[in-house]
Amino acid sequence: MILMYVTISLIIIALAFILIGITKKNKIFKNMGIAIFTTIIVFWIGFTSWSLYKNDNEYKSKIGQENLNKNITNIDEKLAIEHYTKKLENIPRELTVEEAVKTNYFVYDAVKDKFYNEDLLEKFVKNTEMQADNRISDEIIIVIYNINGDPSIYNLGYGFVENMGYILAKDSTRIDIGKTELPTNDPNYKLPDEFSKIVVDTNFPKEHYSITITDTGFDSNAICLKSYSENYEDVEIARYMMNNN
């Protein structure tokens, strides 16, 4: 703004010199006015070119940084998916309840109607809850055996890298579909991918999600990813019966 005022003042002075030089036929005033006016024009051409160059470089730098951040985020997400998938793949296909309990997994056995290692689940919730004074990264394996003794295995983690929220990997490939009632009799029904491969979801931002253990009102608890934003939905991970040990 000050530069603009100075420029206007110099233009007025230059025009005044030129006018005086013409009316008084004084070449000195006329040439001084022309020199000032020319200097102003050259200055503004240079200043405008420099501003455009600077803004262009700043824009390119900003876009470059955004692309870099995006690439870093994509790399982190890829590594997270690989980590959580591999961890489930490394679990033995034939996993007994006893083995799962000894391996320090949170386990619910619907056959015996019992859960095990609830302290591990409580610790995970406490470590990662949104209101925690020292919210820290943590990871837990949850194994839910259905009434047929088939396990669904969940690898649930928080803070794989600094800016990443919750990650949920689900392995339902161990369920015998032939013994499980399908949700429809439609012959064209296609089973969800989760029954043929491990599915990993990373869309649980730490700013909007927390883990909760909810009483469903049917003598069972639900492990949920609770959303605190209208842009995200709650996700129920698994259920297990209460007070049955």
Side-chain angles (χ1 to χ4, degrees):
M1 186 63 70
I2 295 176
L3 185 59
M4 184 63 67
Y5 289 148
V6 172
T7 301
I8 293 172
S9 299
L10 290 174
I11 290 174
I12 293 173
I13 293 171
L15 292 175
F17 279 177
I18 293 172
L19 184 60
I20 292 172
I22 293 174
T23 56
K24 300 292 184 179
K25 295 182 180 181
N26 188 322
K27 290 184 178 180
I28 295 177
F29 277 93
K30 181 180 177 181
N31 290 338
M32 285 179 62
I34 292 173
I36 294 172
F37 197 76
T38 302
T39 302
I40 293 172
I41 293 174
V42 171
F43 170 78
W44 275 103
I45 290 174
F47 181 76
T48 302
S49 299
W50 176 79
S51 296
L52 291 174
Y53 175 78
K54 179 183 177 184
N55 291 338
D56 184 57
N57 280 350
E58 288 178 350
Y59 175 76
K60 289 179 179 178
S61 177
K62 180 180 179 181
I63 294 300
Q65 187 62 46
E66 288 177 352
N67 288 336
L68 178 61
N69 292 340
K70 184 177 180 180
N71 289 336
I72 290 174
T73 300
N74 289 340
I75 291 172
D76 289 340
E77 184 175 24
K78 182 179 179 181
L79 290 174
I81 291 173
E82 290 177 354
H83 168 82
Y84 282 81
T85 301
K86 187 175 181 179
K87 198 156 187 178
L88 290 183
E89 288 175 342
N90 287 338
I91 296 175
R93 293 296 300 178
E94 300 298 327
L95 180 68
T96 67
V97 172
E98 292 74 20
E99 290 170 340
V101 173
K102 289 180 181 179
T103 315
N104 286 330
Y105 300 156
F106 172 78
V107 179
Y108 172 65
D109 179 9
V111 176
K112 296 182 178 179
D113 194 18
K114 288 187 176 182
F115 62 80
Y116 307 87
N117 296 333
E118 189 180 27
D119 58 316
L120 298 177
L121 181 60
E122 292 174 347
K123 177 176 175 288
F124 178 83
V125 173
K126 183 177 180 180
N127 285 341
T128 66
E129 64 183 354
M130 192 177 294
Q131 297 79 13
D133 294 332
N134 184 26
R135 196 177 193 188
I136 60 176
S137 61
D138 202 356
E139 193 172 340
I140 187 172
I141 300 289
I142 299 170
V143 186
I144 306 294
Y145 290 87
N146 65 18
I147 196 66
N148 298 314
D150 299 329
S152 291
I153 307 178
Y154 307 83
N155 188 10
L156 176 63
Y158 170 81
F160 179 78
V161 293
E162 182 178 357
N163 295 318
M164 189 170 285
Y166 288 94
I167 299 172
L168 175 62
K170 181 178 182 180
D171 181 3
S172 298
T173 63
R174 304 157 191 263
I175 294 178
D176 187 343
I177 300 299
K179 297 178 181 178
T180 305
E181 183 179 354
L182 297 178
T184 177
N185 293 323
D186 184 354
N188 297 319
Y189 175 75
K190 183 179 180 300
L191 284 173
D193 287 343
E194 64 187 69
F195 290 101
S196 59
K197 63 181 181 181
I198 295 171
V199 178
V200 183
D201 193 348
T202 61
N203 191 31
F204 306 110
K206 64 180 182 180
E207 298 87 357
H208 304 302
Y209 272 99
S210 192
I211 289 292
T212 61
I213 308 300
T214 306
D215 183 351
T216 66
F218 298 96
D219 293 327
S220 67
N221 281 339
I223 307 170
C224 299
L225 276 159
K226 174 70 175 177
S227 167
Y228 296 91
S229 169
E230 295 180 355
N231 297 324
Y232 298 91
E233 295 182 353
D234 295 347
V235 174
E236 181 178 311
I237 299 171
R239 294 191 181 200
Y240 62 96
M241 299 305 294
M242 300 166 54
N243 302 319
N244 51 7
N245 275 349

